[in-house]
Amino acid sequence: DFIYMDAPHKPEGQTITLGGKQVDIPEDGLSWFGWQPSRDECVKYTGLEESIHRIREVASQHKVKGLLGFSQGGVMAHIAACTPGLLPDLEFVTLVASRLPKAVHLPTECDLNGV
């Protein structure tokens, strides 16, 4: 079975940089987390707890063997895969058009040194 999950957050007037220009995120979209710039090329993610809770709810009802994450969902899939005990049956993660998390508050198992 393939289970599709919507992100739990509505973005709050955030912008991203595309092609050197600031672009507003559509207000009707959904988001796994918010972000704030930090000093050391990392960002501070907000709302991760709620997103992890939502994933835990779904995982309690289904045996999750794999994750497929696109864009910000790929970042969240990576974080979920590294969160201890969240997905005990997980065998694979596929990230599409995504990036590695660059956050200061990640589970310790998400050690990105040397990546």
Side-chain angles (χ1 to χ4, degrees):
D1 293 340
F2 187 84
I3 301 160
Y4 176 82
M5 289 182 57
D6 281 327
H9 303 288
K10 294 214 177 249
E12 298 177 9
Q14 295 188 13
T15 61
I16 58 173
T17 303
L18 290 174
K21 296 180 181 179
Q22 292 290 325
V23 178
D24 291 332
I25 296 175
E27 295 276 334
D28 62 344
L30 295 172
S31 175
W32 286 103
F33 49 82
W35 63 90
Q36 299 171 346
S38 184
R39 295 181 187 161
D40 54 0
E41 294 187 24
C42 288
V43 295
K44 180 177 181 183
Y45 293 153
T46 58
L48 282 179
E49 296 81 12
E50 293 90 347
S51 294
I52 288 173
H53 177 73
R54 176 74 180 114
I55 293 168
R56 184 174 282 119
E57 284 179 340
V58 171
S60 72
Q61 300 169 15
H62 305 277
K63 191 172 186 177
V64 178
K65 294 218 173 225
L67 295 175
L68 169 65
F70 173 77
S71 191
Q72 190 189 54
V75 175
M76 192 65 226
H78 184 250
I79 292 169
C82 293
T83 300
L86 183 60
L87 301 167
D89 299 312
L90 189 65
E91 296 178 7
F92 69 92
V93 179
T94 302
L95 309 178
V96 180
S98 188
R99 63 186 327 167
L100 291 174
K102 291 189 173 187
V104 293
H105 301 292
L106 290 178
T108 56
E109 285 74 11
C110 284
D111 181 10
L112 301 177
N113 292 329
V115 175

